Amino acid sequence: MNYKTRTELLTNLNEKKLFNLMSVRYTGLVDLNIENEKTLIDWYYPEDDIWMEGKCREIHRNGLFIQKDKYTALMEKERCWYVNSTPNGIFYFDLKMMEEPVWREQN
C-alpha cells in the first residue's frame, strides 16, 4: 500500500472500520457498542482480558484526548487500552502504564 492510499484509508476511518481492523489482529474482539451505543468502553478482548476505547481522528495531533468519564471507566479494569487512528497510523496506549492525563474543560 502506498503512502497516499494508506493516508486516505486512515483519514477516512470510523470507529466501526477501526474495530474491523483491530479484529483482524485481535480475533474474538467484542464490540460493546452493539448492545449499548452509549457505553463508556467500546471493545473487549476476552483472550487477554483487555478493555478498549477506540477513537478516530481526521488530524494527527501531538496529544490525543480522552474523555474523563471514559478514562475513569477504563481505569476500573485490570487491563485497559486507548486506541486511536490518525492519518499517521493506529496507536494504542496501555493506560495503566501512563500517568493520569491533565484534565481540562472543553465545550
Side-chain angles (χ1 to χ4, degrees), residues 12-67:
N12 294 313
L13 275 182
N14 59 36
E15 288 181 20
K16 183 63 180 166
K17 290 178 185 176
L18 179 57
F19 171 81
N20 291 338
L21 286 173
M22 293 291 291
S23 295
V24 171
R25 166 63 179 87
Y26 299 97
T27 306
L29 187 64
V30 177
D31 186 350
L32 302 174
N33 293 298
I34 290 174
E35 293 179 19
N36 178 4
E37 288 184 21
K38 300 203 184 291
T39 183
L40 292 175
I41 300 174
D42 289 329
W43 312 322
Y44 177 61
Y45 184 54
E47 185 174 323
D48 290 331
D49 192 31
I50 303 171
W51 300 83
M52 302 179 202
E53 169 64 15
K55 194 57 74 181
C56 299
R57 309 285 185 193
E58 294 178 359
I59 299 170
H60 184 85
R61 301 179 194 270
N62 288 336
L64 298 171
F65 307 104
I66 185 170
Q67 290 174 235

Side-chain angles (χ1 to χ4, degrees), residues 1-11:
M1 180 180 302
N2 67 36
Y3 177 79
K4 182 180 177 187
T5 304
R6 179 180 169 272
T7 301
E8 286 175 4
L9 169 75
L10 292 168
T11 302

